[in-house]
Amino acid sequence: IEDILTAASAFQSFQELFGLLGLRVKPSKAQPPNDRHVVQGVLFRVVHDGVVLSPTEERVETIRATVTTALETNSLAPSAAEKLAGRLAFLTQAVFGKLGRAAIIPIYARAHDHSLDAACVLNTGLAAALRSVVGILDLVRPKFVPASPSPTVFAVIYADAFYLEGERPVKAGCVQPSMRASRHSRASNGWGFVVRLGDRVFYDHGVVDEATLGAFASRKAFIYMLEVLAQIIAQVALARFLPSAFVAFVDNEAGKFALNKGYGRDPAVNGLLAMYWCLAADFVWDPHLERVSSKSNVSDAISREDFSRALAEGWTRLNAPARRIYEIAREASTNLDFAIGTAASELRAASLSKFP
């Protein structure tokens, strides 16, 4: 950002420098100094304490029309996917962040898939991604970049989950192909989280009910469901008090990868992940997901109902709205429109309204 007194001369000097270097700049692309500019469908608006970034209405409607046509025809050709990915790329970097990156990956994959037949039918992951784009366009808010970032509350979230394979505890992200856990044994599970928010530490523990487990019955879905759900419960519980940027630790690579990617081949998992990222958009979160070893995961003991450290160090136990989150997650697992539609507002309503 240039001072108003020198902005005009700086702009002119930049043009002259490019001319001396022999670099061509299209006159039609030149944008003289102003407090607002549009670059590749993103409006940059300078305000007194920073810059506000938001997609232009024209770019939003162009993207929406392309996505709607693809969903209605159940088809997206590589050439159309390439154009759509290009239009989304800058929005992803400037406004959507990780939320948009998760949705754009399968669109890029389709753009480079030249082995398709003439129908170019949407696969499960691509259809979920396109629906997520629609949800993002409806939910996304302008992104504010402060000129001088002010100190904010720092938040770190640890979450963990396990289930019993016979008499043996198994990490939720370590379900082996040979395992054929019975419905009864998988019902013997536990999740736990620890959240450091400012100078306070909160925790909670619970068990996922049989109905919710049944919604993620396939092995692929079950691998991710408990780990992802533990993170979601922690974040929903304190949603109204979390800063926009926070660190969330996951102690298995599969769970972290699923959350970062934002989509999968299993429809139930797609719904759960789409629900999470739409919640992130609703609260304008930019979570940083990181891997942590089980030995370093302070929520490991909490998931097994061992509260000795929590009690010794004076942590505060929350009453997380787990039962309501289970209900919303079950609906999201079978209804993607709900997952990218009203699920976020229902999770917001379920979050704790008063700081504990």
Side-chain angles (χ1 to χ4, degrees):
I1 301 174
E2 185 68 31
D3 187 274
I4 192 171
L5 297 176
T6 56
S9 61
F11 176 72
Q12 184 178 353
S13 298
F14 186 80
Q15 287 184 312
E16 291 175 356
L17 173 62
F18 265 51
L20 292 171
L21 294 174
L23 301 175
R24 295 182 179 181
V25 180
K26 290 183 178 180
S28 61
K29 298 289 186 181
Q31 297 194 45
N34 201 327
D35 62 357
R36 58 181 60 207
H37 284 293
V38 175
V39 179
Q40 295 187 355
V42 176
L43 172 63
F44 291 73
R45 184 165 54 88
V46 180
V47 294
H48 73 283
D49 55 349
V51 179
V52 178
L53 294 82
S54 59
T56 63
E57 291 185 11
E58 181 180 3
R59 178 54 59 93
V60 169
E61 290 309 312
T62 299
I63 293 172
R64 193 188 302 275
T66 302
V67 172
T68 299
T69 299
L71 290 172
E72 288 178 348
T73 60
N74 192 33
S75 174
L76 183 66
S79 57
E82 186 174 8
K83 290 180 181 179
L84 177 60
R87 288 168 177 154
L88 285 169
F90 197 74
L91 291 182
T92 298
Q93 296 173 11
V95 182
F96 298 163
K98 288 184 180 179
L99 171 63
R101 187 172 63 187
I104 203 174
I105 290 173
I107 299 174
Y108 269 121
R110 172 55 60 91
H112 294 90
D113 187 353
H114 300 291
S115 62
L116 297 167
D117 57 26
C120 299
V121 176
L122 305 180
N123 56 40
T124 302
L126 180 56
L130 292 174
R131 290 181 182 274
S132 294
V133 168
V134 175
I136 292 167
L137 294 175
D138 291 336
L139 287 172
V140 73
R141 293 179 174 83
K143 181 178 180 179
F144 176 68
V145 181
S148 299
S150 57
T152 185
V153 175
F154 187 70
V156 179
I157 300 172
Y158 290 85
D160 197 17
F162 79 97
Y163 82 96
L164 289 182
E165 176 69 25
E167 297 299 321
R168 183 168 64 95
V170 178
K171 301 292 290 183
C174 301
V175 183
Q176 300 300 318
S178 59
M179 291 184 178
R180 292 293 182 267
S182 66
R183 186 176 181 182
H184 172 73
S185 67
R186 286 189 175 181
S188 300
N189 66 80
W191 56 261
F193 67 74
V194 175
V195 180
R196 183 179 182 90
L197 188 57
D199 58 356
R200 300 276 303 280
V201 180
F202 304 96
Y203 73 100
D204 200 9
H205 160 82
V207 174
V208 181
D209 64 334
E210 199 168 302
T212 304
L213 291 174
F216 301 88
S218 74
R219 177 187 162 269
K220 286 184 177 179
F222 189 76
I223 289 176
Y224 306 120
M225 188 274 291
L226 287 176
E227 285 285 350
V228 172
L229 198 55
Q231 275 290 343
I232 291 175
I233 292 170
Q235 294 179 33
V236 169
L238 291 166
R240 300 173 192 268
F241 314 106
L242 290 175
S244 59
F246 56 83
V247 180
F249 285 102
V250 183
D251 76 353
N252 75 82
E253 198 64 31
K256 188 193 86 169
F257 185 71
L259 281 166
N260 264 328
K261 191 169 67 167
Y263 71 97
R265 294 182 179 180
D266 186 279
V269 172
N270 269 331
L272 190 68
L273 297 175
M275 178 188 80
Y276 171 72
W277 283 111
C278 285
L279 175 72
D282 188 39
F283 278 98
V284 200
W285 287 339
D286 184 18
H288 176 74
L289 298 161
E290 193 56 72
R291 170 80 162 83
V292 64
S293 67
S294 295
K295 290 183 179 180
S296 300
N297 190 346
V298 294
S299 64
D300 181 84
I302 301 298
S303 70
R304 302 169 195 281
E305 213 168 356
D306 177 359
F307 306 146
S308 54
R309 180 178 177 182
L311 295 173
E313 298 186 9
W315 299 352
T316 301
R317 182 164 187 180
L318 299 178
N319 183 21
R323 183 173 299 179
R324 180 60 184 137
I325 294 172
Y326 298 157
E327 294 172 353
I328 298 170
R330 288 199 300 269
E331 178 67 19
S333 72
T334 58
N335 186 344
L336 193 58
D337 289 331
F338 169 79
I340 62 176
T342 59
S345 61
E346 294 195 19
L347 289 171
R348 175 188 280 270
S351 65
L352 301 178
S353 58
K354 294 183 180 180
F355 190 71

